[in-house]
Amino acid sequence: GENVEQHPSTLSVQEGDSAVIKCTYSDSASNYFPWYKQELGKGPQLIIDIRSNVGEKKDQRIAVTLNKTAKHFSLHITETQPEDSAVYFCAAVTLGDYKLSFGAGTTVTVRA
Amino acid sequence: EAQVTQNPRYLITVTGKKLTVTCSQNMNHEYMSWYRQDPGLGLRQIYYSMNVEVTDKGDVPEGYKVSRKEKRNFPLILESPSPNQTSLYFCASTSDSLATYFGPGTRLTVL
C-alpha cells in the first residue's frame, strides 16, 4: 500500500516568515495529494490539494508543489500568522481509490 | 451548510458495553469512511463505504462494524469495546472529485 512520510514533525516560525512542510510518497500510481489543517479539538480541514497533472497550485498565502519524478510534494505557507498554528497533514490517494494515506503530521507554531 | 456531523462528541464507557457512534453528511456523497487518530500513529482508516449497502474493511477494522442503510448515514458500531479502542474517531465524506470532509470527532475512552 501507499506509504507517506512527512517532515518535519514540528516547526516553529516567527510571525511573517514562511513555513515549508515536505512529504514523500511511495506509490507511483498516487494521483491526488491533499493537505489538511487540524486545530485543537477539531477535525482535519482540507486547505489545498493538487493532482498529478499539475506541478504547482496557489491559494492566497498557501501553495503546494508536486514533483512526480521524485515522488514528493510540499506545502508552503507565506507571511505566517498566529492563526496558522495547527497540525498539518499531507495525504495521498492512489488512482482509482478514495482512501487517504496520511503522513504523520507537522505541528506548526507561529511565534508572535 | 455542507457538513459532516457525528455524535456523541465525547464518550466514556466500560469494556464490553456495546456502543454506536453516529455519522451523517448532507452533501449527497457516495463514499464515506471512518478513521481513528492515535498519537504517533496518525490517522488510519477503519471502514469505508462506496455506496448504500456496500461496505468494506480499511486498514484497522478489527473490533468494529459499520452499516450503510441510507446514503447520508454511516454509523460505527463497537459491539464489545476494549481499552485498545480508546481513541479519537473521525467520520469522513468524500466527493467524486476526491475532496474529503471530516466530522468534528468523537473522543472515546474505554475503561
Side-chain angles (χ1 to χ4, degrees):
Chain A
E2 174 64 274
N3 181 45
V4 178
E5 294 190 356
Q6 181 172 346
H7 299 280
S9 57
T10 61
L11 181 59
S12 179
V13 296
Q14 190 70 37
E15 183 177 357
D17 287 351
S18 295
V20 180
I21 303 171
K22 299 182 179 182
C23 290
T24 60
Y25 61 98
S26 61
D27 189 349
S28 57
S30 290
N31 67 337
Y32 175 69
F33 307 91
W35 285 87
Y36 286 85
K37 175 183 182 183
Q38 186 176 24
E39 297 175 318
L40 203 59
K42 296 185 178 180
Q45 178 190 5
L46 178 65
I47 56 172
I48 195 167
D49 56 14
I50 191 167
R51 298 178 194 274
S52 58
N53 58 346
V54 175
E56 183 176 359
K57 184 177 179 181
K58 285 184 179 179
D59 183 4
Q60 299 182 336
R61 297 186 296 106
I62 293 174
V64 58
T65 59
L66 172 65
N67 182 325
K68 283 175 55 180
T69 304
K71 288 192 277 189
H72 66 70
F73 55 114
S74 301
L75 178 72
H76 304 252
I77 307 173
T78 59
E79 301 173 18
T80 53
Q81 301 169 3
E83 53 264 39
D84 295 329
S85 295
V87 180
Y88 292 81
F89 292 94
C90 62
V93 178
T94 302
L95 179 65
D97 200 353
Y98 287 81
K99 188 184 86 168
L100 292 159
S101 294
F102 282 95
T106 297
T107 301
V108 174
T109 303
V110 180
R111 307 187 305 273
Chain B
E1 179 191 354
Q3 60 181 355
V4 178
T5 57
Q6 53 182 111
N7 286 290
R9 295 290 315 277
Y10 303 90
L11 180 60
I12 300 174
T13 190
V14 295
T15 299
K17 186 176 181 181
K18 181 179 179 180
L19 66 93
T20 299
V21 184
T22 64
C23 172
S24 183
Q25 52 97 0
N26 63 359
M27 295 169 279
N28 202 38
H29 291 164
E30 292 183 346
Y31 187 92
M32 296 183 72
S33 52
W34 277 99
Y35 288 80
R36 62 178 287 174
Q37 185 175 29
D38 302 288
L41 297 175
L43 286 140
R44 296 175 293 167
Q45 191 184 63
I46 304 170
Y47 263 94
Y48 66 93
S49 170
M50 296 289 289
N51 211 329
V52 174
E53 302 293 0
V54 181
T55 64
D56 208 344
K57 298 176 180 178
D59 296 323
V60 287
E62 294 77 21
Y64 304 95
K65 284 177 57 177
V66 292
S67 71
R68 189 90 181 274
K69 293 184 171 58
E70 306 163 284
K71 198 172 190 177
R72 62 183 293 122
N73 296 324
F74 189 45
L76 178 69
I77 303 155
L78 285 72
E79 296 212 324
S80 185
S82 62
N84 65 9
Q85 293 179 298
T86 292
S87 186
L88 181 57
Y89 292 88
F90 291 102
C91 180
S93 181
T94 303
S95 71
D96 289 342
S97 64
L98 301 180
T100 296
Y101 303 91
F102 287 84
T106 295
R107 186 167 292 283
L108 173 66
T109 301
V110 183
L111 302 175

